[in-house]
Amino acid sequence: MTLELLCTVAALGILLTGALACPAAEAVLPTGPSPDPVPVPHFPNRMYAFIWRNWHAVEPARIADVLGTSVENVTAIAESMGLPPAIPIPPDAKARGYITVLRRNWHLLPYDQLLRMLDMTPQELAYALREDDFLWAKLGNLKPRCEALKYQPPDDAALRRAAEIRRCVTGCFGGDLLKPAEPRFEFVRRLSRPQPAAGAAGPAAPGPPRPPQNSLFALRFIYSYFALYGDPLMRPELDPYPDGLLQRLAEVGVDGVWLHVVLRNLAPGGKDFPEFGADADRRLENLKALAARAKRYGIGVYLYMNEPRAMPESFFAGRPDTAGVREGDRRALCTSNAAVRKWMADALTHVFRTVPDLAGVFTITASENLTNCASHGAWRTCPRCKERTDDEIIAEASAAIEAGVHRANPDAKVIVWDWGWKGHGDAPDTIARLPKSVWLMSVSEWSLPIERGGVKANVGEYSISAVGPGPRAKRQWALAKQAGLKTVAKVQLNNTWELSAVPYLPVMDLVAEHCHNLAAAGVDGMMLSWSLGGYPSPNLEIANRFCRRPTPTVAEVLDAFAAERFGPDGAPHARRAWTAFSQAFREYPYDGAVLYNSPVQVGPANLLHPAKTGYRATMTGYPYDDLDGWRGPYPGPVFASQFDKVATGWAAGLAELQAAAENAPAARRADAQGDWRLARAAYLHFRSVANQAWFVLARGALADSKSPLSPEATRSHLAALARDELALAAELYRLTCQDSRIGFEASNQYYYLPLDLVEKVVNCQYVLDHSDR
């Protein structure tokens, strides 16, 4: 999370006012501004767009129900545009893919029809918008004004346009749309099944708890590749850590996994807060089962503590002395009140006594949700906290958590993350006040200076392209060591928001260099991912090899791993590929705005807009055509040129990786081809971002009477970009059909589905057909 997003947190509280004052109350769904939706001129009308975008996303019967018509009418419209036959929707797709369905209908349906589409109550949707990892912000903090959509028999103009779309689709894809594709979420089923032991027909049984290894890093914990972020302990059938995933994570050196929880849902509130603890016993039973299973693989379960969560104003009516700072309709549970700290400690003692196999917790105390009064920097507005320092407040809240955990289990780890402390500056006074048994965690790459495209900047977080550790982390770890604390490096080794639509990026030189540096820095553990980056990948295996004593060199690790994964004939090609990818990725125009707002996550699935939409890009949600929102400190041409550099350098690595896969032993060829497929998808994303930036720039030049380019030359450039985007989308469609991992990230679910890429082809052809207007 970036500093700019702290403003979003406050906005959430304001815009969702009253939505969840009481779970039984009627929810108030937020609207914010209500602009007109983005037009869809490449479709005959909005009904056609609705049917297209939900075909293969939900059952035709649900589309028909929302439109108030028959399945036969819906199917006829789909067929008229050249869409393939309907497919079965996996039974878990509703829960695992509801954000994907919501996002694709946000500009098409009003709330009442969205609720029917999602099969959700207003209360459920309001809760999701508020609690599911900044979902309301990802949708833009607004709801476009959409009229109710009803089925209307197509007129002659609609039929003609549908026939044009069908010809476009058939001409580009031929029979490819009729070929079976790997079902979405197939990777969940694949990763859930334990792998057979060598030479065995059935899955390997987990062994007894593993003894501690003589590892350089005493902790390596990670998030699930496909966990639901909200309240996973209430849905054990959607297991965030099935046996197959635990087994694979253990094999690449992971010894801990983490889970998002809300403390008031896990433990009773005692006499002070009797409202707390609904369904806590059920959650704890499911947590106990998960912790016991994970322990069989040598993996501990850690709970994410962002506590105590703020409550509605009404909660404080009979207890005003516990009310802290206000954000919107919510107020902090003030941790300067002893009763609040006692509840936090008692609740964690209850959790760790009930689930003795838990390995520990990690905390965020100055970001994400409003928690203690200093968590968003406004503690001076609290009557109890205003005379205190933020160091005191944060350290005291951390101490309450530590006391509760260690009262039940003295061996459990309490990891305190310094995210947001002192505006991401040094925090010596906070560190000095922490209990001596906690571990201090800091983002490794924070404050690294970089220069890309002639633009100087400093890295925040979520960077693989800039290799840590950076100066802030080094200073914080040194302060922690002086205070007698153990230290943890927060890193991303598989992917980051630099690109999260593939499970791992094959920039092995960068990964190995960072791990080697951390070994030299003497940190005690690593957090291997936030909510993205939890795939049991070759990147994690490389990281695992730096846990050995004595620490191997970067070349030793990469040479040995390349030989194992690609064989002696493929290894030299793999090494050259990894180096090319790593060098190309160092050109990435890093900035928080680029990571969160640019089209890099959706790549070729983002539509080209012949006219300016007027919409601002949203956080990993909708890039729209908002180049000024995408580029951060980089001038538009520099931003586009840097992605051109990344794509060009990446292409050189692709040729070598393809040669590595072709020369890999038969037993390893499937994995090697999978590496190439993901790398190719990444290339298509990078190249598409450059294309889209140049397109917006050229579109602006066409409207600028002072542009040095003639209108004819500019239109020719726009057409060339549209043709290239069409080709990229068509290729990415074929890759996504082969690999259900492409386009997925846990907190955003699927950024795009295969037919979204077919829509992009239709969109590009429409732009080409109207390029002279």
Side-chain angles (χ1 to χ4, degrees), residues 211-404:
Q213 298 176 327
N214 182 28
S215 172
L216 189 64
F217 301 110
L219 172 65
R220 289 151 288 161
F221 72 117
I222 202 167
Y223 191 66
S224 170
Y225 177 59
F226 51 74
L228 297 177
Y229 198 74
D231 193 2
L233 294 175
M234 289 298 285
R235 301 290 300 275
E237 72 277 12
L238 298 172
D239 188 357
Y241 293 104
D243 280 12
L245 181 58
L246 291 170
Q247 178 200 48
R248 289 168 174 84
L249 289 172
E251 288 171 352
V252 292
V254 171
D255 60 12
V257 295
W258 66 269
L259 204 63
H260 171 264
V261 295
V262 177
L263 187 56
R264 67 172 181 264
N265 292 338
L266 284 183
K271 62 180 179 63
D272 292 310
F273 309 111
E275 304 95 323
F276 294 172
D279 291 319
D281 290 345
R282 178 180 171 189
R283 290 185 178 90
L284 289 176
E285 281 303 308
N286 291 331
L287 181 59
K288 185 186 296 184
L290 170 59
R293 278 196 302 108
K295 188 175 181 179
R296 294 162 63 197
Y297 292 93
I299 290 176
V301 174
Y302 293 80
L303 303 181
Y304 163 36
M305 289 286 109
N306 188 211
E307 298 289 344
R309 296 293 180 89
M311 299 297 291
E313 287 275 5
S314 58
F315 175 85
F316 300 98
R319 46 176 85 91
D321 57 329
T322 65
V325 300
R326 179 185 286 110
E327 279 187 4
D329 71 325
R330 302 231 150 194
R331 298 192 72 166
L333 267 172
C334 180
T335 54
S336 290
N337 182 299
V340 173
R341 298 196 306 276
K342 181 179 185 302
W343 168 74
M344 291 170 64
D346 289 349
L348 281 162
T349 297
H350 174 77
V351 170
F352 274 75
R353 282 178 177 162
T354 305
V355 189
D357 286 335
L358 283 175
V361 301
F362 77 91
T363 71
I364 293 182
T365 49
S367 181
E368 307 297 302
N369 299 281
L370 176 64
T371 56
N372 65 75
C373 291
S375 60
H376 290 175
W379 74 92
R380 294 183 183 88
T381 64
C382 171
R384 282 166 302 282
C385 296
K386 64 181 180 180
E387 302 301 330
R388 309 186 71 195
T389 67
D390 53 343
D391 303 294
E392 293 176 296
I393 296 165
I394 288 172
E396 189 174 60
S398 302
I401 291 171
E402 180 274 335

Side-chain angles (χ1 to χ4, degrees), residues 483-541:
L485 310 181
K486 291 189 175 181
T487 55
V488 180
K490 159 62 180 65
V491 295
Q492 295 284 146
L493 299 180
N494 276 333
N495 62 15
T496 76
W497 298 122
E498 290 166 316
L499 176 59
S500 64
V502 294
Y504 55 91
L505 294 164
V507 285
M508 304 311 192
D509 295 44
L510 300 178
V511 171
E513 182 182 343
H514 198 163
C515 293
H516 187 269
N517 291 349
L518 290 175
V523 295
D524 300 292
M526 290 192 285
M527 183 184 192
L528 300 168
S529 80
W530 183 236
S531 61
L532 69 164
Y535 192 83
S537 70
N539 300 42
L540 296 185
E541 173 58 30

